[in-house]
Amino acid sequence: MMTAAATVPAPHPDGHALALSGVVRTFHEGDRELQVLRGVDFAMNPGEMVALVAPSGTGKSTLLQIAGLLERPDDGEVLIGGLDCGDMDDAERTMVRRDQVGFVYQFHHLLPEFTAQENIMLPQMIAGLPKREAAARAMELLDYMRLGPRARHRPSELSGGEQQRVAIARAVANAPRLLLLDEPTGNLDPETADYVFEALYALVRASGVAALFATHNMELARRMNRCVTLRGGLLEPYEP
């Protein structure tokens, strides 16, 4: 297990980091109607890691998109940190997403022309943090992820595991309440995947961010606080 090597986000107040109630999402293809989510109820507490395991095509990505305010449900409520996001306009949703939600995907999506430190600075500066403070915060996170010596390296100069650790650091740079991860270790070998997970686990425990982790890796799923799966458009407990 990694130990803290720098300041990490302060724990968030008590209360659900994410709460979904009666979430419905239906897609239409010509005359065909496909109801992917049929009334999903789900809540996560600060500092909790939940594995979302389900076959491809069952709605995992749709659920993550709705939870992260990238897509609107057809019905139901989405609350992030107690904020009801249902009646928010697009600008308000963008603000909540920027300040309260972090995203990590299977492919890191780092900007290739910027260094590791600069990639972590950018979301902070977009949120209004001065450059000097953003740089210091980025270095704290890189040190925490044991990447301090790699701060000035561009993505092409980093290994796959290092790139994903930079992506995780970028995702938590603005101290979000909620971290959404879509197969973040799916493109890594087992040893590297385990190391990335350990870094993430330590960060979640230290910061109090809630992490919803979509994965096919059952070994990692067993190490999280609980597992859920999608069956027939509903979210239910899963025993790996």
Side-chain angles (χ1 to χ4, degrees), residues 42-96:
F42 176 68
M44 291 184 66
N45 295 316
E48 187 177 24
M49 285 190 76
V50 178
L52 173 58
V53 294
S56 299
T58 55
K60 293 196 308 294
S61 294
T62 298
L63 182 64
L64 291 175
Q65 294 278 91
I66 289 173
L69 306 183
L70 293 169
E71 187 174 327
R72 291 181 184 267
D74 299 316
D75 198 6
E77 296 181 339
V78 178
L79 283 78
I80 296 178
L83 296 173
D84 187 345
C85 304
D87 293 329
M88 292 181 178
D89 60 26
D90 288 344
E92 291 170 326
R93 288 166 65 87
T94 297
M95 292 287 286
V96 173

Side-chain angles (χ1 to χ4, degrees), residues 198-222:
E198 288 292 339
L200 172 66
Y201 183 86
L203 191 61
V204 168
R205 292 295 297 270
S207 69
V209 65
L212 181 57
F213 194 121
T215 183
H216 286 102
N217 187 324
M218 300 311 299
E219 182 178 341
L220 295 184
R222 292 185 185 96

